[in-house]
Amino acid sequence: MADIAGRAGVSLATVDRVINRRKGVKERTRQQVLEAALALGFLGADEMARFRDRREANIVFLLPAGTNPYLRDLGDHLRQRVALREEGSPKVRCFFIEGFNAPALAEAIRRNADWADGIAFFAIDHPAVREAVAEVAANGVRLVTVVSDLGHSGCDAYVGHENRSVGRTAGLLIGRFIAERQGAVALVAGSRHYRAHSEREAGFLSIQEEMFPHLRLVGMREGHDDSGQNYRHTIALLDQNPDLRGIYNVGGSSGGVARALAERGRSDVAFIGHGLTKDTRNALVEGVMDAVFHTDPETLIDRAIGAICQPERQVLPMKLEIVFRENLP
């Protein structure tokens, strides 16, 4: 084994992990070790075939806990995957981590790395999370961010939309809905610690300044993807800005915003949010909400699993699905 390590240019511990089929070794390194073992006669051709038949991958999804209906729906889809798992398919686990808590997410990444070959997680852009990612990635665990990315983080892939263009699309739609009317436009978010939310905000602000300078922008409110908080923020926005013309919820739990608009009879306010769930579907049907940007949960899960199990495949940004009342699926 020491000869194999020397020939492959790796440590003896790495050779031990490969020979004993343990996780924590990058695929290219694993192949180098196996080729060295074959060349030195440590493994025969028949044994090599056994090593090339890799076991099913262990995959963990880490999602934020809370009242966000879309994330709950995503969790339900993952639980169905676990219950209906077929022979030979990846073994999937899903855990909900306290939302907006970077140390809790970092700890969960480290803890689950002991079992997982790959971890897909809803990223919080924070030093504690980036440090955990670097440590776990160095041990050969593949890391994939979903919906919200970390940027320059050492992760292997990102599965989701190009969020700055999503924000610009929302700004364009709201600006067109409002047309030439003067007034205020407001943004509601979960938290700027989610890169997806800050990028959507940046995209929205850029197109408003570029194409709709007659609209007054109201500072973004953070509702932590909680329906009750979003409801209270919307009531405050309506009270403080009688000329409010549009709201873009860059995060989740849009039902709280819709409830406030309905109670005040403000169907004239253009309203766009994310995630087609029971509450946003009702808001579209009732005419309180104008458009929903949606990511199909099954497609998101498939792409995340594919990014972990097939690292050679390029992961492209997901196409944006825009749902209006008239094209509800």
Side-chain angles (χ1 to χ4, degrees):
M1 290 178 69
D3 292 340
I4 295 171
R7 186 181 181 96
V10 300
S11 69
L12 189 59
T14 297
V15 175
D16 180 70
R17 284 198 292 271
V18 173
I19 297 302
N20 290 289
R21 296 183 64 132
R22 289 197 291 270
K23 56 177 290 297
V25 182
K26 293 183 178 179
E27 179 61 19
R28 186 169 64 177
T29 303
R30 194 178 76 91
Q31 291 298 330
Q32 289 173 347
V33 171
L34 292 176
E35 289 168 6
L38 180 65
L40 292 170
F42 187 86
L43 295 177
D46 292 342
E47 293 173 302
M48 280 292 290
R50 178 173 65 86
F51 277 96
R52 295 194 187 280
D53 292 334
R54 301 197 67 188
R55 62 171 173 78
E56 303 90 342
N58 296 335
I59 298 176
V60 169
F61 281 79
L62 302 176
L63 302 177
T67 61
N68 186 325
Y70 176 77
L71 293 178
R72 286 182 171 181
D73 190 32
L74 185 59
D76 288 342
H77 281 270
L78 283 165
R79 280 188 283 272
Q80 291 174 14
R81 288 287 183 103
V82 173
L84 301 175
R85 176 179 174 268
E86 297 179 354
E87 185 71 26
S89 62
K91 299 175 183 176
V92 176
R93 295 177 179 175
C94 177
F95 300 101
F96 281 86
I97 311 303
E98 182 182 348
F100 313 100
N101 187 329
L105 177 58
E107 192 275 332
I109 290 171
R110 290 189 176 98
R111 182 178 67 252
N112 284 283
D114 291 337
W115 178 81
D117 298 296
I119 299 175
F121 64 104
F122 198 110
I124 300 174
D125 200 359
H126 188 278
V129 176
R130 291 193 292 269
E131 191 68 15
V133 163
E135 291 176 17
V136 170
N139 290 324
V141 178
R142 286 187 61 79
L143 293 158
V144 174
T145 53
V146 295
V147 181
S148 189
D149 199 9
L150 276 180
H152 302 291
S153 64
C155 287
D156 295 280
Y158 162 66
V159 177
H161 296 127
E162 202 294 298
N163 284 297
R164 187 178 176 87
S165 67
V166 171
R168 285 183 62 86
T169 303
L172 177 65
L173 286 176
I174 284 183
R176 293 295 191 189
F177 290 152
I178 296 172
E180 300 300 322
R181 291 181 294 162
Q182 301 286 326
V185 176
L187 295 103
V188 178
S191 170
R192 288 186 176 91
H193 285 303
Y194 286 140
R195 191 180 185 92
H197 294 191
S198 61
E199 288 178 344
R200 291 168 188 170
E201 176 193 18
F204 186 92
L205 296 178
S206 68
I207 200 166
Q208 286 293 309
E209 181 179 349
E210 174 188 332
M211 295 185 62
F212 309 105
H214 62 285
L215 296 175
R216 187 179 82 260
L217 291 165
V218 179
M220 188 164 77
R221 309 290 182 94
E222 294 190 358
H224 300 97
D225 286 349
D226 178 81
S227 182
Q229 289 190 45
N230 285 347
Y231 169 81
R232 291 187 290 274
H233 281 316
T234 306
I235 290 295
L237 286 167
L238 292 169
D239 289 341
Q240 296 164 12
N241 304 277
D243 62 344
L244 189 67
R245 302 298 184 196
I247 297 178
Y248 172 38
N249 180 16
V250 307
S253 296
S254 288
V257 179
R259 179 159 63 95
L261 293 174
E263 285 183 5
R264 293 296 179 88
R266 293 298 306 274
S267 59
D268 61 309
V269 175
F271 174 33
I272 293 175
H274 285 261
L276 185 62
T277 54
K278 183 178 180 180
D279 56 347
T280 54
R281 189 182 189 92
N282 290 339
L284 286 171
V285 171
E286 294 166 2
V288 179
M289 201 168 188
D290 294 281
V292 172
F293 295 160
H294 185 58
T295 306
D296 177 62
E298 286 294 326
T299 302
L300 185 71
I301 293 168
D302 284 340
R303 288 207 180 188
I305 292 175
I308 291 171
C309 296
Q310 300 172 300
E312 70 282 355
R313 292 181 60 181
Q314 183 182 10
V315 181
L316 299 174
M318 296 185 68
K319 292 182 179 180
L320 180 62
E321 180 182 356
I322 306 177
V323 181
F324 302 93
R325 183 178 66 177
E326 306 308 325
N327 70 342
L328 272 169

